[in-house]
Amino acid sequence: MATADDVRRLALSLPGAMEKLAWGMPTFRLESGGKIFASLDDDDRAMGVKCPKEDRDELIASEPEKFFMRAGHDDNYAWLRVRLGALEDDEELYAILLDSWRQAVPRRLLDAHPDLAGPRTP
């Protein structure tokens, strides 16, 4: 089971990542430009990550115990919630955080870390 400390450790291991409190919750964002790529919910049991709107329904349908949207909050944004207790291990948590980071990172930072490049949402 993943914890808030695991999210913090793995999110901050990504290049250019920093933590900043916003809306009373920890957010993980890029130092340059401040784009948020992850946040912890106020109860530390779930996190929000970037996710293309067109992919959310499929993820939720395939693993509803793991993925969800906060009604009225995530509807209009390219975000998805992840229940930390439903994650299998650090590897899965890192993969989710890395995917979200890739969607927020500027091209020059991604180019500086080709080992982290992968499928990127335009």
Side-chain angles (χ1 to χ4, degrees):
M1 178 171 109
T3 67
D5 288 338
D6 295 328
V7 171
R8 183 171 281 108
R9 174 176 49 84
L10 293 173
L12 293 175
S13 75
L14 293 166
M18 63 175 276
E19 181 175 347
K20 183 177 180 181
L21 196 63
W23 310 287
M25 297 177 292
T27 63
F28 303 93
R29 56 183 70 215
L30 298 166
E31 291 173 351
S32 68
K35 284 188 178 180
I36 298 172
F37 66 90
S39 66
L40 283 167
D41 284 3
D42 55 6
D43 63 4
D44 286 348
R45 297 162 96 190
M47 69 175 177
V49 293
K50 293 184 75 59
C51 180
K53 287 182 184 180
E54 60 272 10
D55 295 344
R56 294 185 307 191
D57 290 341
E58 182 179 336
L59 285 168
I60 292 168
S62 68
E63 296 184 87
E65 71 288 348
K66 190 177 294 181
F67 300 111
F68 68 102
M69 286 189 344
R70 223 166 74 193
H73 188 270
D74 298 328
D75 303 339
N76 298 317
Y77 301 98
W79 280 87
L80 181 71
R81 303 289 161 164
V82 182
R83 290 181 182 88
L84 298 180
L87 297 176
E88 294 179 26
D89 53 26
D90 273 4
E91 187 175 321
E92 183 178 25
L93 173 58
Y94 182 75
I96 292 169
L97 287 167
L98 178 59
D99 185 59
S100 186
W101 176 86
R102 285 178 182 143
Q103 292 175 62
V105 71
R107 175 60 63 187
R108 64 177 168 65
L109 184 55
L110 189 60
D111 289 346
H113 299 276
D115 55 315
L116 299 178
R120 182 179 164 99
T121 303

